[in-house]
Amino acid sequence: MASKDVDLSGARWRKSSYSNGTGGECVEVSDDHPGLVPVRDSKNPEGAALLISAPAWNAFVAAVRSAAFSRHGGR
């Protein structure tokens, strides 16, 4: 499905639990589209959203949880 074919006007967005609680560095995702995970910057809700396949998003979240992106490479 092309991104232009995805209607996000009625999407319900939620902030990532990993987002900064002070209002900065916030990422929001929507669970309303099977097979896709729309992701946007909460500071710019009218801006573009990235559309990520569910398997790719799951792999990304697993890598973040395992600290694969830390300075120490998960060690």
Side-chain angles (χ1 to χ4, degrees), residues 1-10 32-34 36 38 49 51:
M1 174 181 301
S3 60
K4 65 182 178 182
D5 297 331
V6 177
D7 179 11
L8 298 177
S9 63
D32 298 334
H33 295 82
L36 287 175
L51 298 176

Side-chain angles (χ1 to χ4, degrees), residues 10-11 18 25 29-30 32-33 42 44 49 51 56-57 59 61-63:
Y18 288 94
E25 301 177 20
V29 297
S30 176
D32 298 334
H33 295 82
S42 66
N44 186 14
L51 298 176
W57 180 254
V61 170

Side-chain angles (χ1 to χ4, degrees), residues 9-74:
S9 63
R12 293 169 292 185
W13 296 93
R14 64 180 172 84
K15 277 190 183 167
S16 166
S17 61
Y18 288 94
S19 290
N20 179 333
T22 63
E25 301 177 20
C26 295
V27 173
E28 293 180 325
V29 297
S30 176
D31 299 318
D32 298 334
H33 295 82
L36 287 175
V37 179
V39 180
R40 71 179 185 184
D41 180 351
S42 66
K43 296 181 303 297
N44 186 14
E46 300 304 318
L50 296 174
L51 298 176
I52 303 170
S53 73
W57 180 254
N58 292 336
F60 171 74
V61 170
V64 169
R65 287 185 176 151
S66 73
F69 297 116
S70 74
R71 285 187 210 167
H72 305 291

